[in-house]
Amino acid sequence: MFVRRNVTPLVPALLSAVLLTAGCAGQEDAKSSPKRPSSSATPHGYVEGASEAAEQQSRLLLSDPGTGDTRVLDLITGKIHDIARKAGTTGLTTDGRFGYFHGADGTRVLDSGAWMVDHGDHVHYYSAKIQEAGVLPGGTGTSVRSDAGVTVVTATDGKAGVYPRADLEKGALGAPDQLPGTYAGPVVPYAEHMVALTRDGDAPAEVVVLDRSGKRVATPESACEDPKGDAVTRRGVVLGCADGALLLHEDDGTFTAEKIPYGADVPKTERATEFRHRPGSTTLTAPAGKDAVWVLDVTERAWTRVETGPVVAANTAGEGSPLVVLENDGALHGYDISTGEETTVTERLLTDVPEAATGEAAAPVIEVDRSRAYLNDPAGRRVFEIDYNDNLRVARKFDLDVRPSLMVETGR
């Protein structure tokens, strides 16, 4: 196993350090302050109990649903942390810091100890100890969405509870505030408010904006038939609808909704219903049936359908980076999003893709950050680190003692 020492090139790393210092002038290094300073001396960006770094502190959360084995892989040091086993996990999601291990008996919450805080003109990267935070109520199908202030848990019956983020950060769930009514999809925190979908009978769902107590404060003119899939971007909240996407945007306290249509009739089996993207990017990807991928450029309000081979997983870093697709031949394929042309293909990486793709096991996923992509290989008990800007070169390979059937990346 190799240790990632300089994932970020030297010059950008130094520049990040300079910006960190200049953007937060006068702050002390969190690591050098054993006790919390007084309010007058608290440096900008200070987080109690955490160490701050000039570069991203990424970690991978890995789980084997069959055995309950769980690991956290630190991508900076290469160290693998053994986490308490918990059987019954059916899905794994993240909000960038916490891992949510979904199961029939509830959702286990694990603080990965790696996260970032984006202040717009500069970013803070933090690392801290890994710790359990409890088990959220709700069975399979429960969704969890978060921002810096709250974590919202929406059950399959449409009821939602709001948990204080500060409690989670201290290793406890805290007491939730129950939102009034029921909702037609996950309630999504955004712009110090919450975005939700309501439905009256068989009518299309409508977007509503709630304050943090659950009071409705805005109802932008919008309709979303058969909603499924959501993502938060710098341009707003994207919701998947039968005829395309609905973008909800906030500007100086005013919320507006805008439809981004496909431009043609799309069969239900080829709609975008599960978005994946690099956090902070405004380029989203989603399967477009079995042999194509949708790419949604939120900034340009435009869809692109890229014809590929049989799709197992897809993702992109956006901003001129290739579309990375794992196809059922076990290889990664790179596509130019603007032309749809295949630009590169790797040697066969996975040996069990057909089985995974048929639903007999969790299919592999592609996680993307600012410099690398990560591909889990459950059958081979390993994770590949991919340099997507260098013809999908395999930069590192991490051998594991578990089947990493479920994987998410934190610290981004």
Side-chain angles (χ1 to χ4, degrees), residues 64 66-71 82-87 108 132 402:
D64 179 354
T67 64
D69 289 328
T70 304
R71 302 287 186 270
D82 190 352
I83 307 301
R85 176 182 297 181
K86 183 174 177 60
R108 175 191 186 186
E132 300 276 359
V402 300

Side-chain angles (χ1 to χ4, degrees), residues 225-315:
E225 184 177 349
D226 193 19
K228 192 172 183 181
D230 59 271
V232 178
T233 75
R234 289 180 179 273
R235 302 290 180 178
V237 178
V238 175
L239 304 172
C241 308
D243 57 351
L246 187 65
L247 174 64
L248 186 85
H249 176 65
E250 182 270 341
D251 184 15
D252 197 23
T254 299
F255 292 86
T256 57
E258 179 181 354
K259 184 59 68 70
I260 308 176
Y262 288 121
D265 290 335
V266 175
K268 186 174 183 178
T269 56
E270 297 180 6
R271 296 174 188 168
T273 59
E274 184 177 356
F275 298 106
R276 297 189 67 83
H277 68 303
R278 176 180 62 78
S281 169
T282 56
T283 304
L284 310 183
T285 66
K290 296 181 179 179
D291 301 305
V293 175
W294 286 113
V295 179
L296 173 59
D297 186 327
V298 180
T299 302
E300 297 297 329
R301 313 291 201 269
W303 291 93
T304 300
R305 180 186 171 101
V306 179
E307 301 295 335
T308 65
V311 177
V312 178
N315 211 332

